[in-house]
Amino acid sequence: MSAGETIEGVWSEVGGDVPEDGAEEGRREGAGGARLADVIAARRRGDDPNAEAASRREALRRRDAAEARRRARWRLYLLVAAFVMAYGAVAGRMAVIAASEPEEPRAVASSEMFNAVRAEIVDRRGALLATNLPVWSLYAQPDRMVDPARAAKALAEIFPDLDAEALERRFTDGRRFLWIKRTITPAERVAVHDIGEPGLEFGPRELRVYPAGHEAAHVLGGAKFGKEGVRAAEIEGRAGIELALDQRLRDPARASEPLRLSLDLRVQRAFADVLREAVKTFHAKGAAGVLMEARTGEVRALVSLPDFDPNDRPTAISGYAGDHPTFNRAAQGLYELGSVYKTFTAAMVLEAGLAGPETMVDTTGPMYWGRFRISDFHRMPQRMTLSDVLVESSNTGTARLALLAGARRQQDFLGALGLLETPEIELSEAAGAEPLTPERWSEISVMTISYGHGLATTPLHLAAAYATLVNGGERVSPTLLAGAGAPGERVVSGETSRELREMLRRVVTEGTGRNAEAPGYFLGGKTGTAEKPKRHGGGYDRDKVIAVFAGAFPIHEPEYVIVVALDEAEDRSGPKPRRTSGWTAAPTTKAAIERIAPILGLRPRLAPAPPAEAPQVVVVGGVRR
């Protein structure tokens, strides 16, 4: 810088003001952003200081713009990442919900969550058997009541089972909540509302109702309230199919899908009416009836008498449980069923090849085994064919056939028919119906079981076993669900089944079951009369019997199996009471078929059943068959 050049002149060239003395920033930078040293350096190089400053400013601007773009780009990246994460979380949650089991809809009640849904139950034709109706509960909040005494008196007038004085004491003992009625009718709700007491409140809920009343009571069982609050209450199965299929009925995913049973309400009602009349006519303590499809095991009717109304299921049980109305005689009651078991003995020896329908059997009696005596109800010939043993119901002949087969074969055969296990059916009570078998399967057990003593099963066991034998030999398991029945493994051959059906038809046309013949329906079956064990002291009561008839119709091509059991029935129309099945259960079966068959669409036929081929008589190993 020349001597004539001053600092002031330099600053003026770059458009700046001279900084005050001692101002460090003023000495370094001018208003245009150029530093004094840079200006002097530019002058020495011969460059324009202003252009140099402008270039630096432009570079600084571009740097700031690039930094701003970089920051904006990162902000955009962060925003996109946050959006993608949020969208992914929502989509993931939706996928989890879609893939998971549906949650049960619940209603809030007293700070708890309740499942209030329950599917309806219908019969195979869609007739309503069980449904839900909206009702109300009644409760009190005593701390909000204006006149507890007046409210208690008014409630006692509406509900006669309530005591006004006791209710008033409860209203004034300091509690803040009090249940009054779990369910009330619309008319009762209006009456309580008219009391005008602000401390009386109503809660919505649903009540399980059974439109058919007593019909199918033992199948349906009944329901009750489970967890409950002021705004909702769970409905839980209490017995029968309501309890056995409780989870299915409470499944919200299937709440709109009625549970369809195999029952036909029309048949159920007709069968129950016939049995009620039989109980009255024969002075019986009770009765049981089963009607089952022979090929599938689907139960069309299941009756137990006495019965009850599931809308008001009785709870108190006094005395012998087996006499209580809620006891299911058909699926729960274990009885020695008598001579209907002779059919199983005949089928066993036929299937094993030990005898044929025309094999001669020794029927002399009585038979003795130690202190036990086996005899026939009436005098029999000394020798009879196997077919005649069944037709005439010979105890001694059946016992000798069972001894020929042996204990192991008898156990295996009865087991294959399902007679030694709990029945697999959708009833809670059936789970406890395990057959009562002898502690040791001795020779005397073999003989007595062959004609229905010493082994106790249910009428439902009996129906399923008969269905297996007459349907061609394929085992069926009883079911109460429409469309769920199907044949299982083969137990006897088709030929054995055919021979057995012919013999059962003869029982009705020629033997002990003549009073069961329903013209035109070609019933085949077997009678059975078993003395009941004494409740105290052991032994049997000769004057108290279970009378049973088990059969199928039409027997040449069985569609249905029917079992009728009467408890302590006796025909008093003659000079002496007659207790055998031929006089009680057999005519009841006839009446039932004549009522039921037309409902099932079966028309009576005038022509007899197609004749079977004449049995061939051969001699095998010295035994005439």
Side-chain angles (χ1 to χ4, degrees):
M1 184 169 56
S2 64
E5 292 175 329
T6 64
I7 293 176
E8 289 83 355
V10 174
W11 279 107
S12 64
E13 287 186 47
V14 298
D17 296 328
V18 178
E20 296 181 359
D21 293 341
E24 183 66 22
E25 289 297 320
R27 289 196 299 270
R28 292 187 177 184
E29 245 180 319
R35 291 182 301 173
L36 179 60
D38 295 335
V39 172
I40 296 172
R43 291 288 298 275
R44 287 176 177 174
R45 293 193 303 271
D47 297 332
D48 184 0
N50 289 328
E52 187 79 14
S55 176
R56 283 196 299 274
R57 286 196 298 272
E58 179 62 22
L60 181 60
R61 186 189 64 77
R62 287 195 299 268
R63 186 186 66 187
D64 290 344
E67 180 65 22
R69 286 194 299 272
R70 186 182 65 81
R71 288 196 297 269
R73 188 180 298 111
W74 275 108
R75 290 191 186 101
L76 181 61
Y77 289 159
L78 290 174
L79 183 61
V80 170
F83 176 78
V84 169
M85 291 175 63
Y87 181 82
V90 172
R93 179 58 180 164
M94 291 176 65
V96 170
I97 293 175
S100 64
E101 293 293 328
E103 295 184 4
E104 298 178 357
R106 299 173 185 269
V108 178
S110 297
S111 302
E112 295 187 68
M113 302 296 287
F114 296 146
N115 171 26
V117 301
R118 194 170 188 86
E120 293 181 338
I121 302 176
V122 298
D123 80 341
R124 67 186 305 111
R125 300 172 59 253
L128 193 61
L129 298 177
T131 188
N132 303 328
L133 286 181
V135 293
W136 296 269
S137 62
L138 174 61
Y139 62 95
Q141 294 179 309
D143 57 342
R144 295 181 53 196
M145 299 185 77
V146 175
D147 190 346
R150 174 179 168 274
K153 182 178 179 181
L155 288 172
E157 293 176 355
I158 299 172
F159 306 104
D161 58 322
L162 297 180
D163 181 81
E165 293 183 1
L167 204 56
E168 182 182 354
R169 287 195 299 270
R170 299 176 73 185
F171 285 159
T172 56
D173 63 3
R175 69 184 71 198
R176 299 181 62 188
F177 178 88
L178 173 65
W179 279 116
I180 300 176
K181 285 286 184 179
R182 256 54 176 188
T183 58
I184 59 174
T185 66
E188 291 169 339
R189 183 174 185 265
V190 171
V192 174
H193 186 272
D194 290 343
I195 295 175
E197 176 57 65
L200 298 177
E201 300 281 353
F202 306 101
R205 60 180 54 194
E206 288 192 334
L207 179 68
R208 194 68 162 175
V209 296
Y210 303 91
H214 287 252
E215 309 299 344
H218 289 90
V219 172
L220 299 171
K224 62 180 179 179
F225 287 123
K227 295 179 181 179
E228 59 182 336
V230 296
R231 295 187 180 181
E234 288 183 325
I235 302 176
E236 297 178 346
R238 187 174 183 180
I241 205 166
E242 288 272 28
L243 178 57
L245 297 184
D246 186 62
Q247 293 302 314
R248 153 67 177 88
L249 292 165
R250 297 172 63 186
D251 183 357
R254 306 177 72 180
S256 61
E257 176 189 343
L259 178 65
R260 193 164 69 96
L261 303 188
S262 61
L263 294 183
D264 186 324
L265 185 59
R266 303 169 304 166
V267 175
Q268 177 79 17
R269 183 177 290 114
F271 203 176
D273 288 345
V274 170
L275 290 180
R276 287 192 186 96
E277 185 63 28
V279 168
K280 180 179 179 181
T281 301
F282 299 118
H283 314 282
K285 289 182 60 177
V290 179
L291 184 74
M292 177 185 295
E293 292 184 2
R295 294 179 179 84
T296 66
E298 292 187 18
V299 177
R300 290 293 188 97
L302 189 147
V303 181
S304 177
L305 298 176
D307 56 13
F308 61 96
D309 186 350
N311 294 298
D312 186 22
R313 181 182 172 93
T315 55
I317 296 179
S318 58
Y320 182 57
D323 295 334
H324 196 264
T326 59
F327 186 79
N328 191 335
R329 293 171 177 266
Q332 188 179 6
L334 295 169
Y335 308 103
E336 293 175 274
L337 297 173
S339 295
V340 289
Y341 265 53
K342 291 173 183 173
T343 303
F344 306 142
T345 304
M348 175 178 61
V349 296
L350 287 172
E351 183 65 17
L354 299 174
E358 298 303 308
T359 298
M360 299 304 297
V361 180
D362 181 6
T363 55
T364 57
M367 294 175 60
Y368 293 93
W369 192 93
R371 61 184 179 88
F372 298 100
R373 181 177 182 268
I374 298 174
S375 60
D376 290 316
F377 184 72
H378 56 81
R379 186 176 181 85
M380 298 281 182
Q382 292 187 348
R383 290 174 63 82
M384 302 170 67
T385 64
L386 186 154
S387 181
D388 288 338
V389 166
L390 190 64
V391 170
E392 298 298 330
S393 198
S394 170
N395 292 340
T396 56
T398 305
R400 288 189 172 95
L401 287 170
L403 289 175
L404 179 65
R408 175 48 57 189
R409 182 179 279 118
Q410 186 184 54
Q411 284 181 273
D412 292 344
F413 190 77
L414 296 178
L417 290 173
L419 293 168
L420 303 182
E421 60 191 43
T422 302
E424 297 179 2
I425 193 170
E426 302 82 5
L427 288 174
S428 58
E429 295 82 1
E434 183 177 358
L436 302 179
T437 59
E439 294 182 4
R440 189 173 72 87
W441 211 289
S442 62
E443 280 193 354
I444 187 59
S445 296
V446 170
M447 290 187 284
T448 59
I449 289 173
S450 73
Y451 55 83
H453 280 78
L455 175 64
T457 55
T458 68
L460 188 64
H461 280 101
L462 184 65
Y466 264 68
T468 297
L469 293 180
V470 302
N471 70 7
E474 295 178 324
R475 178 173 173 177
V476 298
S477 296
T479 180
L480 285 165
L481 301 182
E489 63 184 7
R490 180 166 294 280
V491 177
V492 299
S493 67
E495 179 63 16
T496 296
S497 179
R498 184 189 64 80
E499 292 176 340
L500 200 63
R501 293 198 301 268
E502 293 174 1
M503 295 160 65
L504 292 175
R505 177 60 181 157
R506 285 191 58 209
V507 172
V508 175
T509 58
E510 306 172 24
T512 58
R514 285 187 292 269
N515 287 335
E517 172 74 330
Y521 295 109
F522 304 105
L523 173 69
K526 183 70 184 76
T527 55
T529 308
E531 295 173 355
K532 295 177 64 175
K534 294 179 180 177
R535 293 184 183 176
H536 306 287
Y540 291 87
D541 193 328
R542 298 182 64 87
D543 294 331
K544 296 180 180 180
V545 301
I546 297 290
V548 185
F549 187 93
F553 63 96
I555 193 62
H556 62 281
E557 193 176 353
E559 292 191 41
Y560 300 99
V561 165
I562 186 169
V563 170
V564 169
L566 300 177
D567 187 0
E568 298 185 18
E570 54 184 29
D571 175 18
R572 299 177 184 175
S573 61
K576 292 184 178 180
R578 291 177 288 200
R579 303 183 180 92
T580 57
S581 172
W583 291 100
T584 56
T588 302
T589 303
K590 174 184 177 180
I593 292 175
E594 290 176 339
R595 286 282 303 277
I596 290 170
I599 299 174
L600 296 171
L602 296 178
R603 296 182 178 181
R605 297 176 52 179
L606 297 178
E613 296 180 3
Q616 297 181 354
V617 179
V618 297
V619 178
V620 178
V623 179
R624 184 172 180 268
R625 299 176 59 186

